[in-house]
Amino acid sequence: MVKVGGWTLPKSRRQEPPYVSKTQLVDVLEQIAILLELSGANGFRVRAYQNGSRTLASMEEDLFTIVSENRIVEVKGIGKGIGGLITEAVMYGTWGGMQSLYDKIPPGLIEIVGIPGLGPKRARILHESLGVDSVESLKAACELGHVSPLSGFGEKSQQKYLDGIDLLRRYQGRTRMDVGLLYGRALEEKISKIKGVEKAQLAGSARRRRETIGDLDIVVSSQLDQHHEVIQEILSLPGIAEVKGYGESKVSLILEQEMLSNSVESGSIDERLAATLIERNSDATIDAQVRIVTPDTFPFTLAYFTGSKEHNIRMRQEAINRGLRLNEFGLFPENLAGESIGMEAAKHTLKCVDESEIYKNLGMNWVPPEMREDMGEIEAASFSKNPLPELISPSDLRGAFHNHTVYSDGANTLEEMAKAAQLLGWEYLGIADHSETLNIGGRQIGIPSDNVLNQSNEINRLNQIWSDQNIDFRLFHGSECDILADGKLDYPDHIRKIFSHVVGSVHALGSWRNRDEIENTEALIRAIEDPTFTILGHPTGRILQVREGFPIDMHAVIRRMGELNSEGILKAIEINASPYRLDLDWRLCKFAKEQNVPICINPDAHDTNGLEDVWYGVQIARKGWLERSDILNSRTSSEIESLFNH
Ligand code: DGT
Ligand code: CA
Ligand code: ZN
C-alpha cells in the first residue's frame, strides 16, 4: 500500500558511491512509472520505467560494479535515459530533473493508487474529470454517485472504491504480524550486537503480538557514557531507508528490506519469509522507534513502551492508589518524585530489576505481554483474584487438523506432509483437503466424491506402515468441507461419514457478504449442527488488510457450539494460524473458552513449510488467554481418536 504524504526521492547519507542501493532504485523507477502515468505521459515511457524497475530487481550482478564499469546501458531492458538516471544516482546521489515530477503530482493522488481496482490510469481520469486529488475527495465523489456514470467505471467500481477506502483507513500504514516481527527481530538482533549495548528488546504491539503492527518499538539498555556511540552505530546499520530523527536517547527510523539480510536464523520460518519478501522485492518498509536508556531504567521503559496504552493507564492508576507515580523512567513515591523529570527523576525511583518487580510493587503478578490489553488482566494479576492463565506454548501442540495435500490445492503428498509433521515432533496430522464443489476460476480444486476413498485407502496404508514400525504417528483423514450458502455441507452424507473430522468452511464468500448478519448466523449454525461437522474453519473468512469477513454474530455461533459441547458433541472452533487470517479473532478466544468450546490451532498448510504457521496461531491463542487444556490439538492421539468417534 502506498504511504501517506506522497513519495520523496531518497537522500543518501553515504560519503562515497554507491550513494543509493539497488532496492532504492527499484522503488524509485517504479514510482516514476506511476507518477508518469498519473501525469498522462505516453505509454512507452511509462513501460520503460516499469521494465527498468523489474530488470534491476532481477539483476544478479552487483549494480555498483556494472555502473562503475559503464555497462549499465548494455543491460537488456535498460535504455539510455534510465541508464543515465541510474548512473547519476549511484555515482552522485542526485536525481536529475526527477524532483519536478515528484513535486508535480498531488500526494493525495498517489495515495488513491493502491485502493483495490484503482491504478494510475483510472486515478488520472478521476483527477481530470472530477478533480479528485485525495482519498477524501474520492470518497466524496463516490458517495455523491459521481464516479459510476464515468465511462468504464460503473456502480461496481464505485462501491469497490468505497470499501477500499474503508480498509485503507483502518489499516493505514500497518504491517502484518509475521512481517513486522521479522523486521523487529532483525533490528533487535543487529542492535544487540553493538558494542556497549547490554540488551535490546522489542516492545509495543509487536511484543504484544497484535495481528498487525503500526510501528516497531525497541528499548535498548546501555550505560549512559555509551549512549552517544551506540546511537551513532544504530544510525549506520544496514537496512535503514531513512532516519526520521534522533536525539540523546531516541532514534526514529524507517527500515527497508536490506535489514533482513544475514540476520535471521538459517532454516527458520523467518528465513523463508525473508527470502520470499526479498524475492518478491516487496517495497514494504516499517517505522521503528528506538529508545536508549540506562540498565536501571530499562524495565520501566520496556514496560511503558510495551503498552498497551489502555494497560498503562490502568497500571498508572494502580500506582496512584498506592501513593506512587509510574512512568517510563521509574516508579516513584509521590513525596520523592517532586518536580524532577526524565533521567533526573529516575534517580528517585524504587529499584526494579525487571518487569515482574514493577508488577510486584503494585500488588500484581507479572502479566505476559500478549495479555496487556486491559481486557481483565489487571484484575486477574492482582494477588487476591483468580490466577492468570498458564498460556499455551508452541511445544504443547501434538498435531493439527486442517492441512492440504496434492489431492486438492496443496503442493505436497500425504507422505511428505506426514514427514514434515513428524519432524516437528507431532504425534498426528489431520488432513483436510477441499471438498467437491470448490472451484477457483472454473477449475475444480476440491476432491470429487469418487476420489475420497482413494485418499482414505492411502492414509490407511500409511498408518498401517507406521503402526507396523512402532512409530507413534498417524494421519487423520478429514475434509475441509464447504459450507454452502444455505448452511448445508458439501458432499453427500455417506461420503462425509467416511471422514474422521470435518472442518466446515465458507469459501463462496459472495452470497455471505451480501446477506445480513441474521441470515448468515442461522446458516452457519445450521452447518455446525450437522452431525458430521467437527471444526469451524477460518470462521469469518477475513484476509487481514485485504478484506473483511462476512457479517456474522460470532457470539451466537459460539454460544450454540458451547451448548452442543455440553451435550457431549464435539464442536471446535479454529484459530486459522495463517498470518494472513488469524481468524478466529483473539478478542473472541476468551469467550469461546468460557462457553466451553475447544479451540483448534490450525496452520491451513498448503505445503510442508506451512505447518510452521501454527506458531502465529499460538501467539493469537496466548493473546486470547488460552491454556493448553483449551486447545484441541494439544490432546494426545488416543484422546483425539475417542473424541472424533464419539
Ligand atoms: P501500534 O504501533 O499502533 O501497532 O501500537 P503500539 O501499542 O505499539 O503503540 P505505539 O507505537 O503508539 O506506542 C507504544 C507504546 O507506548 C504503547 O503501546 C503504550 C505506550 N504509549 C504510547 N502513547 C501513550 C500514551 O499516550 N499514554 C500511555 N499511557 N502510554 C502510551
Ligand atoms: Ca508501535
Ligand atoms: Zn479454507
Side-chain angles (χ1 to χ4, degrees):
M1 216 168 281
V2 178
K3 254 207 301 307
V4 201
W7 291 321
T8 49
L9 285 161
K11 282 194 211 45
S12 183
R13 283 175 290 114
R14 288 178 51 88
Q15 307 296 323
E16 56 186 44
Y19 285 99
V20 297
S21 68
K22 191 175 92 171
T23 319
Q24 286 174 315
L25 269 164
V26 168
D27 287 350
V28 168
L29 294 183
E30 197 190 322
Q31 289 171 358
I32 292 175
I34 294 174
L35 293 171
L36 284 172
E37 205 168 0
L38 284 170
S39 68
N42 90 36
F44 288 114
R45 267 192 88 196
V46 172
R47 274 191 298 281
Y49 282 92
Q50 284 169 345
N51 289 338
S53 176
R54 230 169 295 140
T55 305
L56 271 195
S58 62
M59 202 168 69
E60 285 169 8
E61 206 186 333
D62 177 58
L63 177 65
F64 184 44
T65 312
I66 299 181
V67 171
S68 326
E69 294 171 2
N70 262 324
R71 289 188 285 115
I72 189 71
V73 288
E74 292 164 23
V75 177
K76 197 168 165 282
I78 292 185
K80 232 185 174 156
I82 294 178
L85 182 78
I86 294 173
T87 305
E88 183 183 331
V90 171
M91 303 309 284
Y92 305 102
T94 54
W95 297 98
M98 281 304 158
Q99 189 58 48
S100 61
L101 178 65
Y102 274 67
D103 291 340
K104 191 165 97 181
I105 307 294
L109 201 55
I110 297 172
E111 210 186 331
I112 69 171
V113 177
I115 290 174
L118 230 176
K121 224 178 247 128
R122 286 176 158 235
R124 191 167 68 90
I125 297 174
L126 291 169
H127 183 55
E128 283 174 358
S129 47
L130 302 173
V132 166
D133 61 359
S134 65
V135 176
E136 284 69 36
S137 52
L138 172 64
K139 185 161 191 250
C142 289
E143 282 169 351
L144 293 168
H146 292 168
V147 171
S148 58
L150 295 178
S151 112
F153 284 80
E155 283 286 342
K156 242 189 165 147
S157 310
Q158 186 167 282
Q159 189 52 46
K160 200 165 167 198
Y161 300 156
L162 281 172
D163 294 345
I165 291 168
D166 227 35
L167 214 64
L168 190 69
R169 282 278 166 269
R170 210 155 326 143
Y171 289 116
Q172 202 144 50
R174 300 190 68 81
T175 304
R176 272 194 340 261
M177 182 212 277
D178 56 335
V179 178
L181 282 175
L182 185 65
Y183 276 94
R185 289 185 184 129
L187 182 60
E188 191 181 54
E189 193 189 310
K190 288 201 162 86
I191 295 180
S192 299
K193 287 187 180 147
I194 293 174
K195 193 169 146 275
V197 168
E198 300 195 353
K199 201 193 275 182
Q201 195 172 338
L202 204 49
S205 51
R207 187 171 180 227
R208 298 200 316 282
R209 307 292 194 245
R210 292 289 292 233
E211 62 276 50
T212 62
I213 291 164
D215 65 354
L216 296 168
D217 302 272
I218 291 206
V219 185
V220 179
S221 157
S222 148
Q223 298 295 344
L224 194 57
D225 59 0
Q226 305 281 309
H227 283 194
H228 181 73
E229 275 149 58
V230 168
I231 288 174
Q232 293 308 313
E233 288 294 317
I234 293 174
L235 292 175
S236 65
L237 287 175
I240 294 174
E242 200 181 316
V243 176
K244 286 174 57 175
Y246 65 97
E248 282 171 19
S249 59
K250 189 180 155 169
V251 183
S252 190
L253 304 168
I254 302 178
L255 311 183
E256 63 183 347
Q257 232 183 64
E258 211 188 322
M259 177 59 57
L260 307 178
S261 38
N262 310 321
S263 72
V264 289
E265 212 179 307
S266 84
S268 69
I269 186 170
D270 274 0
E271 187 190 34
R272 278 189 294 276
L273 178 59
T276 321
L277 289 180
I278 290 166
E279 179 188 280
R280 281 193 212 140
N281 192 30
S282 109
D283 58 1
T285 60
I286 186 165
D287 287 19
Q289 319 295 336
V290 185
R291 270 108 184 164
I292 301 94
V293 295
T294 58
D296 288 347
T297 308
F298 180 81
F300 300 104
T301 313
L302 177 67
Y304 181 86
F305 286 107
T306 296
S308 65
K309 194 172 158 187
E310 292 74 15
H311 179 86
N312 288 355
I313 291 170
R314 291 292 306 276
M315 290 288 283
R316 195 157 52 211
Q317 190 55 48
E318 291 295 321
I320 291 170
N321 295 346
R322 290 167 172 76
L324 298 168
R325 187 191 299 172
L326 176 65
N327 61 27
E328 67 264 51
F329 301 109
L331 180 62
F332 315 91
E334 198 52 62
N335 55 347
L336 289 183
E339 299 296 307
S340 49
I341 53 164
M343 300 306 267
E344 191 51 41
K347 289 177 186 156
H348 304 292
T349 183
L350 303 179
K351 283 235 174 320
C352 293
V353 299
D354 56 20
E355 278 187 341
S356 76
E357 292 198 350
I358 304 176
Y359 284 94
K360 203 163 134 200
N361 274 304
L362 301 178
M364 281 186 256
N365 286 309
W366 179 79
V367 177
E370 297 91 328
M371 293 174 64
R372 300 184 194 170
E373 300 287 349
D374 189 22
M375 297 208 5
E377 76 280 8
I378 299 281
E379 289 76 7
S382 298
F383 291 153
S384 54
K385 297 281 164 28
N386 292 332
L388 287 162
E390 243 182 74
L391 301 180
I392 172 99
S393 75
S395 60
D396 290 330
L397 300 186
R398 294 169 190 266
F401 292 107
H402 178 179
N403 301 290
H404 299 270
T405 71
V406 288
Y407 275 87
S408 66
D409 58 347
N412 292 101
T413 62
L414 284 168
E415 211 166 346
E416 288 161 349
M417 292 299 281
K419 277 261 151 54
Q422 288 169 355
L423 283 174
L424 292 175
W426 288 356
E427 279 176 35
Y428 50 83
L429 188 71
I431 300 300
D433 271 312
H434 287 293
S435 65
E436 198 156 48
T437 59
L438 188 73
N439 66 77
I440 294 174
R443 194 169 66 88
Q444 183 172 17
I445 301 290
I447 307 183
S449 283
D450 59 17
N451 203 28
V452 168
L453 268 180
N454 291 332
Q455 189 176 42
S456 192
N457 291 336
E458 194 180 342
I459 286 178
N460 290 340
R461 188 177 59 80
L462 288 167
N463 281 339
Q464 191 57 52
I465 293 173
W466 293 314
S467 157
D468 291 345
Q469 298 176 348
N470 268 326
I471 294 174
D472 185 17
F473 184 86
R474 61 166 293 180
L475 289 172
F476 285 98
H477 184 209
S479 164
E480 183 183 18
C481 211
D482 259 61
I483 300 176
L484 308 174
D486 57 3
K488 288 217 177 71
L489 291 173
D490 197 10
Y491 283 135
D493 235 19
H494 71 275
I495 297 287
R496 247 183 294 112
K497 282 183 180 148
I498 296 172
F499 301 117
S500 60
H501 63 289
V502 167
V503 179
S505 302
V506 171
H507 286 121
L509 283 173
S511 47
W512 296 75
R513 286 165 72 84
N514 293 325
R515 244 182 354 201
D516 71 12
E517 188 179 300
I518 298 175
E519 277 180 275
N520 280 340
T521 307
E522 281 171 4
L524 203 60
I525 287 178
R526 207 171 306 138
I528 289 164
E529 286 172 342
D530 186 290
T532 59
F533 185 102
T534 332
I535 301 167
L536 177 57
H538 43 72
T540 72
R542 77 175 181 191
I543 304 288
L544 291 168
Q545 301 185 294
V546 176
R547 62 163 196 242
E548 296 288 309
F550 53 82
I552 186 84
D553 181 351
M554 199 51 78
H555 286 97
V557 171
I558 291 172
R559 260 195 306 274
R560 182 68 189 124
M561 294 176 86
E563 285 167 13
L564 292 163
N565 278 290
S566 321
E567 292 166 26
I569 307 165
L570 174 70
K571 302 288 177 186
I573 194 161
E574 167 177 287
I575 292 178
N576 189 293
S578 159
Y580 289 86
R581 294 187 184 266
L582 301 177
D583 177 19
L584 186 69
D585 192 283
W586 59 269
R587 295 162 190 83
L588 283 160
C589 289
K590 207 165 135 205
F591 180 70
K593 166 188 180 138
E594 285 159 5
Q595 296 294 311
N596 208 11
V597 178
I599 284 98
C600 188
I601 300 173
N602 278 329
D604 196 354
H606 284 72
D607 56 34
T608 50
N609 291 334
L611 293 175
E612 290 181 39
D613 278 355
V614 287
W615 188 86
Y616 301 107
V618 171
Q619 307 309 303
I620 291 302
R622 290 172 61 86
K623 203 160 179 52
W625 292 49
L626 302 181
E627 310 187 81
R628 188 171 65 177
S629 56
D630 303 318
I631 306 296
L632 184 68
N633 46 324
S634 70
R635 309 279 165 93
T636 63
S637 187
S638 48
E639 283 175 310
I640 293 295
E641 175 128 42
S642 72
L643 278 167
F644 282 171
N645 289 334
H646 199 67

